[in-house]
Amino acid sequence: GGLHTGRSGREQAFVLSQANGTWGRARKVPGLAVLGSISNLNSVSCASAGNCSAGGFYVRPAGHEHAFAVSQRKGAWGTAVQIPGMGFITSLSCASAGNCSAGGGPFAVSQRHGAWGTAVKIPGMGAISSLSCASAGNCSAVGSIPFKDQGAVVSQHNGTWGKAKPVPGLAALSTGGDSFVLAVSCASAGNCSAGGVYTPKATTPQAFVGHQANGTRGTAQKGPRTAGLNPGRHPATTTDTWPPAG
């Protein structure tokens, strides 16, 4: 999924499916044109073949942004729905068909048995950049602390989100200022890996990695063998596109 510019010059979200190795034709997200005149699809996740969910945001004529989600069941896309209380979705992850979680800004929302709930604000989270669900209701999200350019992590356990906290050890690495957690992936509940960038004192941003094992977060470490890849310039993972659009 993504966006295209229509004849009107306005950006519109689209979805595209692959079946048995063959890509079909891109199509507009069903029902989205009724919700808003401008839209963008930011993230998609498939729990099994033909069973996916996607999310992004749309803009009403008055200029207000609203999050939307749309689900695919047995290869057929349903109608987009507005996510109450949420401005946009940046990351979405499905643990099983019809059971997903999505995040955007300081908010997260869950889908249970195909029905999306109401967004909740994550305490201590400024913006969610990435989210991963190992099983239904058990996810981890990463991003930043509000009003501080510092990396943050938060976990969801049995459907309940905790409070976002700084990445252990990241402040000691980021003596020069900003740090951001940009991506996370969970293999099982409480066992995840994450990565992002930090700024050492008087130098350019560098990559870092971190992990969670059995629910316990380890200490952030310098990304192995990344400092010399791009001398004098930003590393391959940068903060140039942070925060996300919307």
Side-chain angles (χ1 to χ4, degrees), residues 70-122:
V70 61
S71 294
Q72 182 192 46
R73 185 173 180 270
K74 296 182 179 179
W77 286 98
T79 302
V81 296
Q82 178 189 348
I83 302 299
M86 198 168 183
F88 57 92
I89 287 175
T90 54
S91 184
L92 185 150
S93 178
C94 297
S96 59
N99 295 283
C100 311
S101 287
F107 297 94
V109 63
S110 294
Q111 182 191 41
R112 188 170 181 268
H113 301 313
W116 287 97
T118 299
V120 296
K121 189 172 183 179
I122 305 299

Coordinates of all heavy atoms in Angstrom, one line a residue, residues 70-122:
V70 N -8.1 -0.3 7.5 CA -8.8 -1.1 6.6 C -8.3 -2.5 6.6 O -7.1 -2.7 6.8 CB -8.8 -0.6 5.1 CG1 -7.4 -0.5 4.6 CG2 -9.7 -1.3 4.2
S71 N -9.2 -3.5 6.5 CA -8.8 -4.9 6.7 C -9.1 -5.7 5.4 O -10.1 -5.5 4.7 CB -9.4 -5.6 7.9 OG -9.0 -5.0 9.1
Q72 N -8.3 -6.7 5.2 CA -8.5 -7.6 4.1 C -8.8 -9.0 4.7 O -8.1 -9.5 5.6 CB -7.2 -7.7 3.2 CG -7.4 -8.7 2.0 CD -6.1 -8.9 1.3 OE1 -5.1 -9.2 2.0 NE2 -6.0 -8.8 0.0
R73 N -9.9 -9.6 4.2 CA -10.2 -11.0 4.7 C -10.4 -11.9 3.5 O -11.2 -11.6 2.6 CB -11.5 -10.9 5.5 CG -11.9 -12.1 6.2 CD -13.1 -11.9 7.2 NE -13.5 -13.1 7.8 CZ -14.4 -14.0 7.4 NH1 -15.1 -13.7 6.2 NH2 -14.8 -15.1 8.0
K74 N -9.7 -13.0 3.5 CA -9.7 -14.0 2.5 C -9.6 -13.3 1.1 O -10.3 -13.7 0.1 CB -11.0 -14.8 2.5 CG -11.2 -15.6 3.8 CD -12.5 -16.4 3.8 CE -12.6 -17.2 5.1 NZ -13.8 -18.0 5.2
G75 N -8.6 -12.4 1.0 CA -8.3 -11.7 -0.2 C -9.1 -10.5 -0.6 O -8.8 -9.9 -1.6
A76 N -10.2 -10.2 0.1 CA -11.1 -9.1 -0.2 C -10.9 -8.0 0.8 O -11.1 -8.2 2.0 CB -12.5 -9.6 -0.3
W77 N -10.7 -6.8 0.3 CA -10.5 -5.6 1.1 C -11.9 -5.1 1.5 O -12.8 -5.0 0.7 CB -9.7 -4.5 0.4 CG -8.3 -4.8 0.3 CD1 -7.6 -5.3 -0.7 CD2 -7.3 -4.6 1.4 NE1 -6.3 -5.5 -0.5 CE2 -6.0 -5.0 0.8 CE3 -7.3 -4.2 2.7 CZ2 -4.9 -5.0 1.6 CZ3 -6.1 -4.1 3.4 CH2 -4.9 -4.5 2.9
G78 N -12.0 -4.8 2.8 CA -13.3 -4.2 3.3 C -13.3 -2.7 3.2 O -12.5 -2.2 2.4
T79 N -14.1 -2.1 3.9 CA -14.3 -0.6 3.9 C -13.5 0.1 5.0 O -13.4 -0.4 6.1 CB -15.7 -0.2 4.0 OG1 -16.5 -0.9 3.0 CG2 -15.9 1.3 3.9
A80 N -12.8 1.1 4.6 CA -12.0 1.9 5.6 C -12.9 2.4 6.7 O -14.0 2.9 6.4 CB -11.2 3.0 4.9
V81 N -12.3 2.4 7.9 CA -13.0 3.0 9.1 C -12.2 4.0 9.8 O -10.9 3.9 9.8 CB -13.5 1.9 10.1 CG1 -14.5 0.9 9.4 CG2 -12.3 1.1 10.6
Q82 N -12.8 5.0 10.3 CA -12.0 6.0 11.1 C -11.7 5.4 12.5 O -12.5 4.6 13.1 CB -12.9 7.2 11.3 CG -12.2 8.3 12.2 CD -13.1 9.4 12.6 OE1 -14.1 9.6 12.0 NE2 -12.6 10.3 13.5
I83 N -10.5 5.7 13.0 CA -10.1 5.2 14.3 C -10.4 6.4 15.3 O -9.7 7.4 15.2 CB -8.6 4.8 14.4 CG1 -8.3 3.7 13.4 CG2 -8.3 4.4 15.8 CD1 -9.1 2.4 13.6
P84 N -11.4 6.2 16.2 CA -11.7 7.3 17.1 C -10.6 7.8 18.0 O -9.8 6.9 18.5 CB -12.9 6.8 17.9 CG -13.4 5.6 17.1 CD -12.2 5.1 16.4
G85 N -10.4 9.0 18.1 CA -9.4 9.6 19.0 C -7.9 9.5 18.6 O -7.0 9.7 19.4
M86 N -7.7 9.3 17.3 CA -6.4 9.2 16.7 C -6.2 10.0 15.5 O -7.1 10.0 14.6 CB -6.1 7.7 16.5 CG -4.7 7.3 16.3 SD -4.5 5.5 16.4 CE -2.7 5.3 16.3
G87 N -5.1 10.7 15.3 CA -4.8 11.5 14.2 C -4.2 10.8 13.0 O -4.6 11.2 11.8
F88 N -3.4 9.8 13.2 CA -2.7 9.1 12.1 C -2.1 7.8 12.6 O -1.9 7.7 13.8 CB -1.7 10.0 11.4 CG -0.6 10.5 12.3 CD1 0.6 9.7 12.5 CD2 -0.7 11.7 13.0 CE1 1.6 10.2 13.4 CE2 0.3 12.1 13.9 CZ 1.4 11.3 14.1
I89 N -1.9 6.9 11.7 CA -1.2 5.7 12.0 C 0.1 5.6 11.2 O 0.1 5.9 10.0 CB -2.1 4.5 11.6 CG1 -3.3 4.3 12.5 CG2 -1.3 3.2 11.5 CD1 -4.2 3.2 12.1
T90 N 1.2 5.4 12.0 CA 2.5 5.3 11.3 C 3.0 3.8 11.2 O 3.8 3.5 10.3 CB 3.6 6.1 12.1 OG1 3.5 5.6 13.5 CG2 3.3 7.6 12.0
S91 N 2.5 3.0 12.1 CA 3.0 1.6 12.1 C 1.9 0.7 12.6 O 1.1 1.0 13.5 CB 4.2 1.4 13.1 OG 4.7 0.1 13.0
L92 N 1.8 -0.5 12.0 CA 0.7 -1.5 12.2 C 1.3 -2.9 12.2 O 2.2 -3.2 11.3 CB -0.4 -1.3 11.2 CG -1.7 -2.1 11.3 CD1 -2.9 -1.3 10.8 CD2 -1.6 -3.4 10.6
S93 N 0.9 -3.7 13.1 CA 1.3 -5.1 13.1 C 0.2 -6.1 13.5 O -0.6 -5.8 14.4 CB 2.5 -5.2 14.1 OG 2.9 -6.6 14.2
C94 N 0.1 -7.2 12.8 CA -0.9 -8.2 13.0 C -0.3 -9.5 13.5 O 0.5 -10.0 12.8 CB -1.7 -8.4 11.7 SG -2.6 -7.0 11.1
A95 N -0.8 -10.0 14.6 CA -0.3 -11.2 15.2 C -1.0 -12.4 14.6 O -0.5 -13.5 14.4 CB -0.4 -11.2 16.7
S96 N -2.3 -12.2 14.3 CA -3.1 -13.2 13.6 C -4.3 -12.5 12.9 O -4.5 -11.3 13.1 CB -3.7 -14.2 14.7 OG -4.5 -13.5 15.6
A97 N -5.0 -13.2 12.0 CA -6.0 -12.6 11.2 C -7.0 -11.9 12.1 O -7.6 -12.5 13.0 CB -6.7 -13.6 10.3
G98 N -7.2 -10.6 11.9 CA -8.2 -9.8 12.7 C -7.8 -9.4 14.0 O -8.5 -8.8 14.8
N99 N -6.5 -9.7 14.4 CA -6.0 -9.2 15.7 C -4.7 -8.5 15.5 O -3.6 -9.1 15.2 CB -5.7 -10.5 16.6 CG -7.0 -11.2 16.9 OD1 -7.8 -10.7 17.8 ND2 -7.3 -12.3 16.3
C100 N -4.8 -7.2 15.5 CA -3.6 -6.3 15.2 C -3.6 -5.1 16.2 O -4.5 -4.9 17.0 CB -3.8 -5.7 13.8 SG -4.3 -6.9 12.5
S101 N -2.5 -4.4 16.2 CA -2.3 -3.2 16.9 C -1.6 -2.2 16.0 O -0.9 -2.5 15.1 CB -1.5 -3.4 18.2 OG -2.2 -4.1 19.2
A102 N -1.9 -0.9 16.2 CA -1.4 0.2 15.4 C -1.0 1.3 16.3 O -1.6 1.5 17.4 CB -2.4 0.6 14.3
G103 N 0.0 2.1 15.9 CA 0.4 3.3 16.6 C 0.6 4.5 15.8 O 1.0 4.4 14.6
G104 N 0.5 5.6 16.4 CA 0.8 6.9 15.7 C 0.7 8.0 16.7 O -0.2 8.1 17.5
G105 N 1.7 8.9 16.6 CA 1.8 9.9 17.7 C 2.0 9.2 19.0 O 2.6 8.2 19.1
P106 N 1.3 9.8 20.1 CA 1.4 9.1 21.4 C 0.3 8.1 21.6 O 0.1 7.6 22.7 CB 1.3 10.2 22.4 CG 0.4 11.2 21.7 CD 0.7 11.1 20.2
F107 N -0.4 7.7 20.5 CA -1.6 6.8 20.6 C -1.4 5.4 20.1 O -0.5 5.3 19.1 CB -2.8 7.5 20.0 CG -3.2 8.8 20.6 CD1 -2.7 10.0 20.0 CD2 -4.1 8.8 21.6 CE1 -3.1 11.2 20.6 CE2 -4.5 10.0 22.2 CZ -4.0 11.2 21.7
A108 N -2.1 4.5 20.6 CA -2.1 3.1 20.0 C -3.6 2.6 20.0 O -4.4 3.1 20.8 CB -1.3 2.2 20.8
V109 N -3.9 1.7 19.1 CA -5.2 1.1 19.0 C -5.1 -0.3 18.7 O -4.2 -0.7 18.0 CB -6.1 1.9 18.0 CG1 -5.4 1.8 16.6 CG2 -7.5 1.4 18.0
S110 N -6.0 -1.1 19.1 CA -6.0 -2.6 18.9 C -7.2 -3.0 18.1 O -8.3 -2.5 18.3 CB -5.9 -3.3 20.2 OG -4.7 -3.1 20.8
Q111 N -7.0 -4.0 17.3 CA -8.1 -4.7 16.6 C -8.2 -6.1 17.2 O -7.3 -6.8 17.4 CB -7.8 -4.8 15.1 CG -8.9 -5.5 14.3 CD -8.4 -5.8 12.9 OE1 -7.3 -6.3 12.7 NE2 -9.3 -5.6 11.9
R112 N -9.5 -6.5 17.6 CA -9.7 -7.8 18.2 C -10.8 -8.5 17.5 O -11.9 -7.9 17.4 CB -10.1 -7.6 19.7 CG -10.1 -8.8 20.5 CD -10.3 -8.5 22.0 NE -10.3 -9.7 22.8 CZ -11.4 -10.3 23.2 NH1 -12.6 -9.8 22.8 NH2 -11.4 -11.4 23.9
H113 N -10.5 -9.6 17.0 CA -11.5 -10.4 16.2 C -12.2 -9.6 15.1 O -13.4 -9.6 14.9 CB -12.6 -11.0 17.1 CG -12.1 -11.8 18.2 ND1 -11.2 -12.8 18.0 CD2 -12.3 -11.8 19.6 CE1 -10.9 -13.4 19.2 NE2 -11.6 -12.8 20.1
G114 N -11.3 -8.8 14.4 CA -11.8 -8.0 13.3 C -12.4 -6.6 13.6 O -12.7 -5.9 12.6
A115 N -12.6 -6.3 14.8 CA -13.2 -5.0 15.2 C -12.1 -4.1 15.8 O -11.5 -4.5 16.8 CB -14.3 -5.2 16.2
W116 N -12.0 -2.9 15.3 CA -11.1 -1.9 15.9 C -11.7 -1.2 17.1 O -12.9 -0.8 17.1 CB -10.7 -0.9 14.8 CG -9.8 -1.4 13.8 CD1 -10.2 -1.9 12.5 CD2 -8.4 -1.6 13.9 NE1 -9.0 -2.3 11.9 CE2 -7.9 -2.1 12.6 CE3 -7.4 -1.3 14.9 CZ2 -6.6 -2.4 12.4 CZ3 -6.1 -1.6 14.6 CH2 -5.7 -2.2 13.4
G117 N -10.9 -1.0 18.1 CA -11.3 -0.3 19.3 C -11.1 1.2 19.2 O -10.8 1.7 18.1
T118 N -11.1 1.8 20.3 CA -10.8 3.3 20.4 C -9.3 3.5 20.8 O -8.8 2.8 21.6 CB -11.7 3.9 21.4 OG1 -13.1 3.7 21.0 CG2 -11.4 5.4 21.6
A119 N -8.7 4.5 20.2 CA -7.3 4.8 20.5 C -7.1 5.2 22.0 O -8.0 5.8 22.6 CB -6.8 5.9 19.6
V120 N -6.0 4.8 22.5 CA -5.6 5.2 23.9 C -4.3 5.9 23.8 O -3.4 5.6 23.0 CB -5.5 3.9 24.8 CG1 -6.9 3.3 25.0 CG2 -4.5 2.9 24.3
K121 N -4.1 6.8 24.7 CA -2.8 7.5 24.8 C -1.8 6.7 25.6 O -2.2 6.3 26.7 CB -3.0 8.9 25.4 CG -1.8 9.8 25.3 CD -2.1 11.2 25.7 CE -0.9 12.1 25.6 NZ -1.2 13.5 26.0
I122 N -0.6 6.6 25.1 CA 0.4 5.8 25.8 C 1.1 6.8 26.8 O 1.8 7.8 26.3 CB 1.4 5.2 24.9 CG1 0.7 4.3 23.9 CG2 2.5 4.4 25.6 CD1 0.0 3.2 24.4

